[in-house]
Amino acid sequence: MIKRQKTGKIITYLFALLLAIFVCFPLIVMISMSLKAPDEQFTYPPHLIPQHPTLNNYFQVFGQGSMFAKYFSNSLLVASVSTLIVLGVAIFSSYGYARMNFPGKNFLFILLLLSQLFPLAAIIVPLYRIMGNLKLIDTYLSLIISYLAFSVPVGVWLLRSFFLGVPQELEEAALIDGCTRFQAFWKIVIPLVRPGMGATAAYVFFLTWQEFMFALTFINSESKRTLPVGIFDFVGQYETNWGNLMAASILVCIPVFVIFFFIQKQLVAGLTEGAVKG
Amino acid sequence: MHNKKEWASGYLFILPSLILLIILVFYPLFMTFIYSFYDMSLVSNRYLGWEAYQKLFQNPKLYLIFKNSLTWTILVVFFQCLLGLGSALILQQTFVGNAFLRGLVILPWVMPGVIAGMAWRLIYDPHLGLLNHYLQILGIVDRPLTWLSSPNMALYAVIFTAIWKGFPFSTIMYLAGLQGVPSELYEAAEIDGANEVKQFFHITIPSMKPIITVTLLLTFIWTFNYFELVYVMTGGGPAESSHIFPTYIYDLAFKRFRFGDASRFAVVDFLFLLIFSLFYVRTTFKSEENL
């Protein structure tokens, strides 16, 4: 019996190791390439462990003539403003869908979910025309507005599941104590879903931080580009500078990895709740 | 009276998101439907009516894109489900480093799609890539393969990347699902002498059915509409062999400026997903009622 348990343990560790390798291999390749000097980047056969590791690629990414810092601040601006707007809209709407009664509620909520059914490529032509008519092409605003198209539904859906997790009795007690409906919502419920709001904000930030297609289409001038398009542009017409590209990629990943590290538990709770409760 | 007031405040709460949804999603979608009846490009804007769709269904490209999209989606969803379940079962065991591995596993899903695409382009590269190098060491291939520039391999190479990129979402969902299986069921099965394999198929899977159903639907829709990986890794090439709906729609619209064609492909994409989802939801609900 003990022997069986021991082999079971060994098998568990073996599979855990395989899983770790599968997940990490591309990350290790990225880190490895980002630490290689130009002459080593192109040696054949390639080696996983850099022979003469250097941080030069990272310095070059921030160095003179590099647009990385500009792209980074553009992305930060677009993603933060989008997230704030989504949160402001979603707080009310998700509470409405979670707690209030009105005719057509289910229908409207299904409409919200339906909006997740088509590719963004399906609405990009009309959106492009709208932006063109409003003279918004090549502005940050065009990105912020178009990001609302996919992030508002997600934000409402996710935040709703956090509201559903708050016991209804709390609001009822507040109403009996003479609070208005709005006061109960604002003073009792909102503070309770603050962690959920954090998770929702982080998720929306993460979606807008990496958005690629709209950014590729609506922005023409180099100085207004966001990170994903800027990174894609590293693949030059001549020779791709893989060292710089991977160093930049790692720098882009770090903020999202850090955010996810902190909100993982909340987000998982919201995603699973939201998915199962519709 | 009281009711009416509650209704009004309910509408007031959801109004901002509803307005945004109408302006930014449903109005553009409606316009796409309208455009799809036109021969629309930079130089022409002619109404075709249903003729436009007759032409579309005679276009062999439609069937190629449809076949690619289905291959892409079914393989990615199937293997994400399998890997998700497998990794959730591993992570549910107790072992040293479990918490660390849980944090690690989520990273591919969190990584921006463009970056994942670039990293895998490097891995697949015939000269710089480590994949060919290792396969040669292991003696599986005798010369470097051009994974992303061979018409019969490119789509499958991107599929592999997509599985890697997306499976952690399934892992997260299934891990949460596993924690919801009542432990008394396992205890009872243990007493009845059911082995672990039997327990898995007779207790674990049935208890997790709701979460598996939802996860499959979500990953199906997301994968079907996933743009970045194919666009970044192959651009739909070589010779348009790896295009799926979103990349082809984008190509038609913004590389060839054939807005009418792009809209027709978009309409087919949307209607397919709509019908598929309705059908899926109906059949899964029906089978649950029969239980």
Side-chain angles (χ1 to χ4, degrees), chain A residues 68 71-80 82-83 147 150 202-212 215 226-229 248-257 259, chain B residues 110-115 228:
Chain A
F68 183 80
Y71 298 155
F72 201 96
S73 66
N74 291 346
S75 276
L76 200 61
L77 173 76
V78 171
S80 319
S82 309
T83 305
Y147 288 178
F150 62 87
Y203 189 59
V204 170
F205 184 90
F206 151 77
L207 287 179
T208 48
W209 176 256
Q210 62 163 307
E211 200 287 329
F212 177 63
T226 52
L227 276 171
V229 181
S249 298
I250 288 165
L251 293 171
V252 176
C253 285
I254 288 173
V256 274
F257 286 179
I259 291 174
Chain B
V110 177
M111 178 183 277
V114 175
I115 290 175
E228 273 115 303

Side-chain angles (χ1 to χ4, degrees), chain A residues 254-269:
Chain A
I254 288 173
V256 274
F257 286 179
V258 170
I259 291 174
F260 264 79
F261 179 78
F262 285 108
I263 61 144
Q264 196 169 348
K265 250 195 191 141
Q266 283 297 329
L267 183 69
V268 170

Side-chain angles (χ1 to χ4, degrees), chain A residues 126, chain B residues 28-38 53 263 267 270-271:
Chain B
L29 194 63
F30 173 74
M31 290 315 287
T32 299
F33 271 92
I34 301 286
Y35 294 167
S36 78
F37 289 105
Y38 282 79
Y53 279 94
S263 303
V267 168
F270 173 65
L271 288 182

